[in-house]
Amino acid sequence: MSSDIEDRLAKCFQLALPSVPPTAVRSASIDTVPAWDSLGTVILMSLVEEEFSIALSSEASEAFVSFQHVLDLVKRHGNASTTS
Amino acid sequence: MKLAEAVSLAKESESCKGDPFRVFVACGFTPQHLTIYLKAHLHARLGRRRVVVEPGRYGDLLLAFADLRHHAAFNAVAVFVEWTDLDPRLGFRTTHGWRPKRLHDIADTAKPRLEQLRRLVEDLAGRVPVYLVLPSLPLPPAFTGPTGKGDCLEFVLREHVMAFARAVSAIPRVSIVNPQRLDSVSQFDNRFDLGAALRADLPYSLEHASAVCQLVALLICPDSPKKGIITDLDDTLWRGILGEEGVSGISWELHRHAHGHALYQELLASLAEIGVMLGVATKNDPDLVTLALSRKDLVISHDQIFPVEAGWGSKSEAIRRILQAWNVGADSVVFVDDSPLELAEVSTAFPDVHCMRFPVDDDRALPGFLQHLRDLFGKSSVTEEDRLRLASIRTSTVHIDRRPGQTSDEFLASIEAEITLVYDAPNERAFELINKTNQFNLNGRRIDTAAWLAKLEEPKRFILSVSYRDKFGPLGNIAVVAGLCLEDELLVDVWVMSCRAFSRRIEFQVLKELFERFDAKSVKLEFTATDRNGPFQEFVEAFGSSDLSRITKAAFVAACPKLYAKVSVHE
């Protein structure tokens, strides 16, 4: 299940941040990806909401600093494993 | 459309080559989602052409317009108006705005903002087509009335928006997304996303953003309207079987529970008045059909229908004959019948015909059926030529059926033809001809409004509009030629002529005029063969050269047939 969530989240990252090579997605962070700006975060948050059918609060944007942080955030939402 | 799919489609568009289709987006909130969705929906409609969507300044709708001056030329501008653009108090990102004491002047703020917007749109529409979305989100809970009661202030606000819409919709090259259509594709309660609005100023839910952009894309790149409807009669145009129930037995009256057929007739009559061709394909006795169609209480007039193909052969054969009479392709036509079997037979013979089943005995399905039919023939404007179309098609059959033994020259000499040539006065009809003509078409190129306006501004550019009439009646504006006047040669990049004007040697007369007026030694043609422009190709081949991109004056003089029409030229 965890791997499934990771794969789906990786897909979101690849769509929002296409400059990140697929192999580097899981280690991506706002410090290592120059293209990860505020607009990238806006798109990424919407993609994550859509993919996992969750509603993110304003403070959730603070988690959007690395793949791992976003993964933790998604896992904290109970219905995150629901296939969209 | 899901956002993930839209992002993929938008990226796909970036790999397309060639001259991009450029759209500017003006909106007061974060435009990212609209940009992606608009690009995706436009890519889905434009196919291989690259789409570039550029947002203006974020934060103030009116300031976003200012950015247009600094950007490259656009093919279209999309404007998304929301309540907060009229007054920030009508949104959720500010406070202290909903109190009754502070709210009373909100209409006074909104009105001048809308007037400013109207002026900007009017100015912009002189250069580029503008597509507007009116406020589509719920108003905030700022008004004081009890549950369910409309508030006077709210009505005043909506009145200002409607007055703005009415004024702006009258401006040429401005289109407004139909709010009723938007209501049908985007559920009102699902439109607003407060979470995204607060964290990133994205007030539209993804579903609503997609729906709005889909409609804007449809306005920017509309489907070509169909040209004709071929309808069945029994249990379609009327209720009942003519052969069994007789002329008086068929019905379309409310009291006989057949009013759905009257509504269908009403829509057909309305479409006929904007130039849509109506034909009948029915398995019936022809004499009986003539009697039935002559009933005085028929909602549609018998005169509006031509031709009527009644007999016992297959429907596809009847349709073949009607297509021939109308001289249009199968993809320009809709066929309506109540029988799935007949629809399947026609669909097999003519896969490009748009087949629709009449929802007999299903009144609930009727509004959707009628709306879909109306949409297939939607036009921004109705020209004089649209009104003349049916009469000219009847005339064309006279041309085809000239007297036995009469030569083409004898016939043309007898019809008192008059051709009117007008230079440099392009109109809506010229633009329409360029974008809908397939057969007599130099290169099949379509052109959008912005490119057409830019072309008109080119130095050395000429545009020649051609009208025709003869003793059978007028055909109206039937051809357009456009090009550049070079040293001793003309370069022609647009040449189209309606198929209704074939076989009258109008194209020869036009070429004669061009050689004479510009004293050119040759005409260079930007010719491209398409699947359907055989008639144009045959015309050029008549001058005896294998080079279809040039006609010399000598070749024209040697091959031009005798011309009979009286020609008048106007500037």
Side-chain angles (χ1 to χ4, degrees), chain A residues 39 42 45-46 49-50 56, chain B residues 3-4 11 32-33 199 202:
Chain A
L39 295 180
V42 165
M45 286 183 80
S46 295
E49 283 188 318
E50 180 181 80
L56 296 173
Chain B
L3 182 62
K11 284 196 193 336
Q32 259 53 45
H33 291 172
R199 73 167 185 259
L202 290 164

